């Protein structure tokens, strides 16, 4: 029995040695715990505000006199242009924000017009699209603010989380007539705007201090508001635009000067005020604009 056990042990040892030799074969693949390297796909470059600024310097712009008249087309080259009547235009430095909430940067950009002694500056929003597109940005046709000689003055435009903050002083027709132009108007106003899509068209809308039209909002010549609680007002011209005034809310209504840019489709453009007048001196502008 002992001889058989010894023989069996010798056979087992031989088998183990053969297995060890086989595993040490130079043709055998070494085991590994690490996964094979996977090639990473580089991320596509994202659009920046600088990309938009560079592209619009050689693009066609829509420019609406005073921010209210029928627009004309201006073709820029290296940020400068002139029109058929020798008015000169120049593009300023833009301010970044994602104003339409699509995750792509947008730019609010000032453009100035010099017409002899006349001067005006309109702020337009350019919506960012795609760095690889033929047009990396699209202009919103309606300016969000203006500076004009003997009129409104924009002090600053800042990017916010979802739009732009505008700090401006407005010329008040019923109180500022006869004032020195260099001294500016007396109507202070701070407002926030965003860009929304209504029926496939981009519109600026005011989000604060109250929902209202987000483009240029002129003042009534007399601020002779009539109280009305039946008004159904919208923040943009289309009938499907969000509501700014709900029937049942009493507001003061004001007639505004003509604004062909905003009323071409037949919408009524008017001013409204739902708050009490501001304090004496420099007055906070409480009138806003809407459509009906």
């Amino acid at each position: 029995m002992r001889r058989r056990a010894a023989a069996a042990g010798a056979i087992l040892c031989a088998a183990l040695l053969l297995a060890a030799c086989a595993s040490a074969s130079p043709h055998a693949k070494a085991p590994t715990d690490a996964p094979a390297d996977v090639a990473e796909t580089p991320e596509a470059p994202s659009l920046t505000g600088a990309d938009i600024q560079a592209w619009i310097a050689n693009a066609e712009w829509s420019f609406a006199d005073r921010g209210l008249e029928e627009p004309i087309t201006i073709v820029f080259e290296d940020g400068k242009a002139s029109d058929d009547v020798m008015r000169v235009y120049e593009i300023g430095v833009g301010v970044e924000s994602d104003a339409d909430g699509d995750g792509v940067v947008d730019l609010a950009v000032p453009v100035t017009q010099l017409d002899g002694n006349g001067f005006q500056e309109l702020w337009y929003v350019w919506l960012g699209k795609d760095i690889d597109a033929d047009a990396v940005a699209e202009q919103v046709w309606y300016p969000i603010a203006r500076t004009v000689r003997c009129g409104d003055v924009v002090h600053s435009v800042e990017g916010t989380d979802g739009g732009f903050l505008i700090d401006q002083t407005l010329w008040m027709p019923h109180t500022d007539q006869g004032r020195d132009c260099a001294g500016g108007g007396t109507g202070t106003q701070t407002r926030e705007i965003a860009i929304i899509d209504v029926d496939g068209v981009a519109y600026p809308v005011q989000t604060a201090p109250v929902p209202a039209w987000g483009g240029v909002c002129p003042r009534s010549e007399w601020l002779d508001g009539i109280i009305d609680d039946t008004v159904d007002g919208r923040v943009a011209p289309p009938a499907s635009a969000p509501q700014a005034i709900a029937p049942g809310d009493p507001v003061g209504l004001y007639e505004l000067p003509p604004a062909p840019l905003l009323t071409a489709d037949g919408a009524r453009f008017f001013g409204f005020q739902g708050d009490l007048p501001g304090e004496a001196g420099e007055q906070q502008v409480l009138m806003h604009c809407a459509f009906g």
Side-chain angles (χ1 to χ4, degrees), residues 143-162:
I144 59 174
R146 67 181 181 183
T147 293
V148 294
R149 186 174 182 274
C150 286
D152 303 342
V153 175
V154 176
H155 302 298
S156 66
V157 175
E158 300 177 8
T160 65
D161 184 13

Side-chain angles (χ1 to χ4, degrees), residues 216-230:
V216 172
C217 175
R219 268 74 59 215
S220 167
E221 291 294 327
W222 301 107
L223 285 181
D224 50 349
I226 299 174
I227 303 300
D228 194 329
D229 63 359
T230 65

Side-chain angles (χ1 to χ4, degrees), residues 10 17 131 202 221 227 285:
L17 287 172
I131 186 63
E221 291 294 327
I227 303 300
V285 176

